[in-house]
Amino acid sequence: MGLYVKNLFLIVLLLGALIGSITGAAFAQDGASPIQTLLQSHSKKLKRSSAKSIGPVIEAIRESGLPQAQNVLEKWRAKELWFRKSDDLLIFVETNDKKTYSLLDIATGQSIGSATKKEIKQIKPNSGVRGLIDGALVFFRLTDSDKAVRISALDSLGRDPKAAYLPIIRTALSKEKDAGLKTRMSRMERILIARFETDTAKRVVAIESFADDMGIDVRAALNPLLSSKVKVAMEAPDMANLARDIFPGVTIKNDGGTASEALYYEWLGGSPPELSMADAYILLVKAKLAPADVSIEDQKTALISNIKNGQVGGVAIADLNTDKARATAYRALVREDLAAETISVEEQHAVIEEAFFYGVYDQKNMDVVRAARTTLASINSKVSINTFFDLFLDAMSLASIYFLAAIGLAITFGVMRVINMAHGEFIMMGAYTGYVVQQFIPNYTLSIIVAVPAAFAVTFAAGVVMERLVIRHLYNRPLETLLATFGISICLQQLAKNIFGTQARPLTAPDWLDGALVINEVVSISWIRVAIFVLGILFFVLLLFILNKTRLGLETRAVTQNPRMAASMGINIDRVYMLTFGLGSGIAGIAGVAIGLFAKVTSELGSDYIVQSFMTVVVGGVGNIWGTLAGATLIGFLQKNIEFFNPSNTLAAQTYMIIFIIIFIQFRPRGIIALKGRAAEA
Amino acid sequence: MDKTSKPFFLRYPSAMIFILCLAGFTIAVTIFSESVGNGIVSTSFLKTLGKTLCFCLVAIAMDLVWGYCGILSLGHFAFFGLGGYMIGMWLMYARTELIVLKASAGAALPLTPQELTDGIGTQIFGVVGGAKIPAIWAFADSLTIQLILVVLVPGVLAMVFGWLAFRSRVTGVYLSILTQAMTLALALYLFQNDSGLRGNNGLSGLQNLPGLEDAAQADISLWFFWASALALGLGYIVVKLIVESKLGNIIRGIRDDEARVRFLGYNVEAYKLFIFVLTAVIAAIAGALYYPQAGIINPAELAPIASIYLAVWVAIGGRGRIYGAVIGAAFVSLLSSWFTGGQAPDIPLGFYTIKWVDWWLVLLGASFVLVTLYAPKGIGGLFDKFGWGEKP
Amino acid sequence: MFKKLLLATTVLAAASTAAMADIKVGILHSLSGTMAISETTLKDTMLMLIEQQNAKGGLLGEKLVPVVVDPASDWPLFAEKARELLTVHKVDVIFGNWTSVSRKSVLPVIEELNGLLFYPVQYEGEESSKNVFYTGAAPNQQAIPATDYLLDELGVKKFALLGTDYVYPRTTNKILNQYLLDKGIAKEDIFVNYTPFGHSDWSKIVADVVALGADGKKVGVISTINGDANIGFYKELAAAGISADDIPVIAFSVGEEELSGLDTSNLVGHLAAWNYFQSAESDANDEFIKAWKAKMGEKRVTNDPMEAHYIGFNMWVNAATAAGSTDVDKVRAAMYGQKFPNLTGGTAEMLVNHHLSKPVLIGEIQADGQFDITSQTKEVPGDAWTDFLPESAVLMSDWKNKGCGMYNTKTNTCVQIKSNY
């Protein structure tokens, strides 16, 4: 819009507003500021704040050229714009006690009186409206002196790129001093060019510059250039922007709008043909190239409406309880011209055979299409490789969580052959310890640093107590430890409910664990998961060290292999058992803090992990932390891979994984890494 | 062996006592029921009693496989649930079929077979976002076939699973964990909406028998109570016969020292497999009787925890004695329903009031520990003290 | 043992004959197990409402006595406890249930014994029982307006329907799928995913949702994720740096209670649709919140199902007063057309299909765990059978005039009197 037109528009607007106020609108203040007048002329829409109708209002404010426009938009966006109920006067407010509010003029910021909460009302733009305001504010903020403001303006611009932004981003680019921001701006400029520039050569250059860029915004800009529509005709299509020929029931649509043939079986998965035979016929009917078939439902209606003397088309009603009889009756009706002819599948296919189905690009400029197609193909191949890498990271992360949850169990189960069903509850105790610590130490970083050893201490103590009081008496009855520890498990779970309630409790990660490690546009992983991964490795190394390099480790290994022999060599078995159990439980506690950080803290947290943990240990091989590592890795990767092939159903992934494990154990009953010799005879 | 010449009940007085007690109990409950008697036993309590008898039956199976054969299966409730699903499919299908037929009675055209199935599908699966009847419901309209499936499906599952597990010599705690994994996998599978058994919702409305819409629940409950008592009595006798036979000696031998029995030339795997499958079938029958009384079956019933509870009942009742399993199951499940029903009085301690709803599970958990530690023979062990128990 | 059983039986029988004069209100909410997290609050709400009513002089000159039982999140146990409430305790009305499966479990019992159940939670519809009053939202009172909000206000063009794998998300998503297709959204622009209860591993699903934006259409998430699983989901969303401006998430099962379990500073701007928010401005609401906090503690919050119980209980009291009796059939007849002011400033009315007319509110999550209401409709009448599925569109429920909850308007026949289980 040229400057002249803009001014004219403004004048009309102001005039309109003036007339409005003269002809007795609710608002009756003399000498109202121009901004107030402008807003008043839209007061109804403003108060409703619906994204459907607010667009022109925002544009009017932005284009008014008034000095307060930016401020008003910003305040409105921040939900700081109010109005007085008595006369609809728009105001900003200030309050100290939330009872009386002092009212500020929106043009000057001067106080113009006060009111109680009941007399004024806040205007609440919803997030759709706020997005539109952000879009308008881009024009003011992209050249702001504050870098943070410019960044946020660029973000809003990226959310909804428009052709109108091209001039302003060029201006901003010429002024920008910050190198990083300048790169981002120039990239955004190229996105805008790719979408909105009129000069084909410039567009093609911009599009091709993205060949290595996996950004979702780039793909979002390029993909629409390749959108196409399906059409049908009786003669061969002849147009420049033909995208593909479609053979119903045979060809599939590719990303770039082209077509290729593919074998498809429903049970095998994969992408189905773009156009099924039935859909193709419907398309023909819609294009008036073929007569419509009569649906089963319509046939039935026709039969019902032609009932005469308990008969339809010579068939008794009572006999019309099969499809065949109904078809016979319907044919009789057709012969009598009482119903429309049906069209058999063969006839339909014959018509389809003669017609041409094809896709046409919406974009007329084929140079642009070609550039976008090659660029996107290059981007997509990169994306698919990186998606796989992302899946790999996810699997690693899941494996590390399983590993952490199971490693404590591996120690107790491996060394002592004790099935500790309460292991899950130790994990839960750890998580609750983290929660309790956070109640006393509000600083998240400090509280996590305290919580980890605290969780270890609490669960170590709990483990030792349990070992002394219960498990010690059951060493020669391994199956019964299962029962006893199960009893302890439900005790602990219920106690946790009685103490902490059934609500999930917050365990909040410190700021430095917020967000994600972003490797590129596709591959990223949250910092909490990274931290859990590191923790997993840490414990793995620590345990390897303890087991292989310390006296306790030596004794533990001796006890694992042959407790009686170890005892006769002077090892205090009782002490080894107690410490091992404490250690295993303590690690479960730390795992609890980690799991609580990325998921939730509830009394049922432990039971979610217990079966998984047992399977990790069994699959990996008992009595060996390398085995647990292998088991966790196998299960984590397996689950993610099944999820990958069946993305819409996570539950199925878990089922298939367990079935796999059951079958796996058939072939390696002692797990991936099996102990040999006497230790294997448990 | 003059023992064998005597009739069954004289040979095993404990079995006679049990059967007499069961019969007496059944008669007493019948007399006090709402249906034929004076109504002291309410229908809801009658249902609870009937369900408890089913629990007792599955506990007997558990006792046979664990107490006598030494296989701690943490998956027998899966067979119990499968039995329930099989009978539930018929109950649901047949009842819905009647509804659809009744609703279409006034329609202009009679229903085609396809329209009938579609109508039933919409009614059954409409509530879970579907409409089509999955292939596994192919026989749901036939009571006979579904009754066969009650035995067949869990039996075949137990056979395949057991064959795989025993063949590769998976024993002890490994086997326990593997059975637990099996029941978890089954539960997760059934939890999926796409499993074709209505996912998390499961099958419901099972207490209404098709074609008997007018029968009062008081009567139906009593019938099921009788059926459960009968099944329990028969189950008891069958299991008793097994454990007192040569087969019983062999499986006890397997429990005590598997390797030695193998060296003696017995095919240990075959015996274990037989017991595993047999107990799975008993569990399935118990389940098929249980769920029409419960009214609803869903995957949560098959969760691993249920099977662990089963083991706990047997442990508390006393392993290796059949009546022990019955006592354990009856005692714990009834006590559980008493405490969680809000009937147990709260205990005010002044500074804190113990509400049993909150503390019952703590008590239960603690009692497992105590029983395992100090009374490994369970409640049944008390009978030994009176001197009229039988050798486990 | 048998003696013990008989003893227990006589004790039960004795208990049921004592104190017959009082009016008994059954409360059937899980106090243990997985659902206790949500349902315990409702039990406390009911106790508070009964207490308040007794302070006002009770009902029909009698004192109201709550009978609390614990179905322990065990669905078959719901049926058993419902039967116990109706036959042993002889309660006049039951307030209870949360999950759909628990409702389906008690339906046959309630219908057989002609009980009266008030069900306070938003649900998937496609049901109408003579013996149940649904005070929560039907899909057209929550899901449909919320979807409209995404379409119209936020300009969403591509939808991810994420849900926990059970009946409510399944049916709701089926309805929404059809609704979106009718609105011109292409089939390939609707992504559906189901996860198990308590799911915690969300990284891949969140990545999948982000990847949906690659074709340049604005993506929105409609979440029917249930309970605890939300915590992990929102944490992962925050970690992935997805703001509500990029991909708005509108949730149907996340309320004040669920948000109290996590730090919401990263979730500001994400949405929820309910018929009530604690932040609603009305005098009745202020009073309700005050009473609740006085009873349960300053930190406790109120939520939508609590309001449903508040309306349901008060309507029941008024209907019983009008009928002069707590007899189920009389109360039911008096319930139709009952009006009661809701807590958001309007008036709820009980319709002949046993649903309420309620306003639909859309709220944005704020840093303090409360919702900022950005949209509030007029009262929407609840619809038992959705208009957006062809097989349900022909059905209607009218217990007052037609005496049928599943009436086929095309053939003018009553499909069945009892409901689908």
Side-chain angles (χ1 to χ4, degrees), chain A residues 85-100:
Chain A
K85 285 179 186 168
S86 58
D87 60 356
D88 281 1
L89 180 73
L90 290 157
I91 39 173
F92 301 144
V93 300
E94 251 175 18
T95 180
N96 294 325
D97 53 2
K98 296 225 164 193
K99 278 179 195 143
T100 51

Side-chain angles (χ1 to χ4, degrees), chain B residues 278-290:
Chain B
L278 178 77
T279 51
V281 167
I282 296 177
I285 293 171
L289 283 168
Y290 177 90

Side-chain angles (χ1 to χ4, degrees), chain A residues 501-520:
Chain A
T502 45
Q503 281 289 4
R505 296 288 162 182
L507 180 56
T508 312
D511 285 343
W512 48 271
L513 280 179
D514 269 354
L517 167 64
V518 179
I519 296 172
N520 61 34

